[in-house]
Amino acid sequence: MSTFVIRPARTSDVPAIKALVAPLASRRVLMAKETVAYFEGIQEMWVAESPDGVVGCGALHVMWEDLAEIRTLAAAPDWLGRGLGHALVERLLEEARSLGVSRVFCLTFEVDFFRRHGFEVMADQTAVDPQVYSELLRSHDEGVAEFLDLARVKPNTLGNTRMLLLL
């Protein structure tokens, strides 16, 4: 069985990250992004690297003082079920803790996977107070719009489940 390491992404990883995300984006499992968006968010991204190259990725995007989102979580098909996704999520949660974030959000079709990591389906769809909500409305980030469940992102989020983990 091959091994992998989790490390911060580098700009040279962007083509591999795009290649991992592309089939999932075409199936509407992940949001499609322009190449420039990957470069702009490279500091948020972590990759799983095997001797064959980048075989997984995931990002932690801070939304507010106490809130971050796990996004762009993907693994190469032949790496599914081998602990790679678990290792990426654990690393992203470790990063959230180090940044002082107390809540982590995800929008996912993989409910059981995230439940195994302690996430719960969001019962309260207004997970932030009105003042924070009005501040978040000013964001141009699509993930923030998804978190707020804004109408403009509804076509992109149909069938996804909003989940939250309290750290």
Side-chain angles (χ1 to χ4, degrees), residues 19-95:
L20 285 169
V21 171
L24 298 169
S26 70
R27 293 189 350 241
R28 298 179 60 119
V29 172
L30 290 179
M31 294 283 291
K33 294 181 185 178
E34 298 296 331
T35 303
V36 68
Y38 290 107
F39 285 113
E40 289 174 341
I42 200 72
Q43 303 94 325
E44 302 175 345
M45 184 71 66
W46 291 78
V47 296
E49 185 176 47
S50 80
D52 296 328
V54 173
V55 293
C57 62
L60 182 76
H61 179 76
V62 174
M63 297 175 147
W64 199 251
E65 177 182 9
D66 64 337
L67 181 65
E69 177 189 13
I70 287 181
R71 56 171 60 168
T72 319
L73 186 65
D78 54 339
W79 281 85
L80 295 174
R82 296 168 65 180
L84 187 142
H86 169 77
L88 281 164
V89 168
E90 288 303 312
R91 183 62 191 93
L92 295 171
L93 294 176
E94 183 181 311
E95 184 71 7

Side-chain angles (χ1 to χ4, degrees), residues 18 26 29 44 46 51 57 94 98 117 120 127 152-153 162:
K18 282 189 64 166
S26 70
V29 172
E44 302 175 345
W46 291 78
C57 62
E94 183 181 311
S98 76
H117 293 275
E120 296 180 8
R152 70 178 169 85
V153 295
R162 295 155 45 91

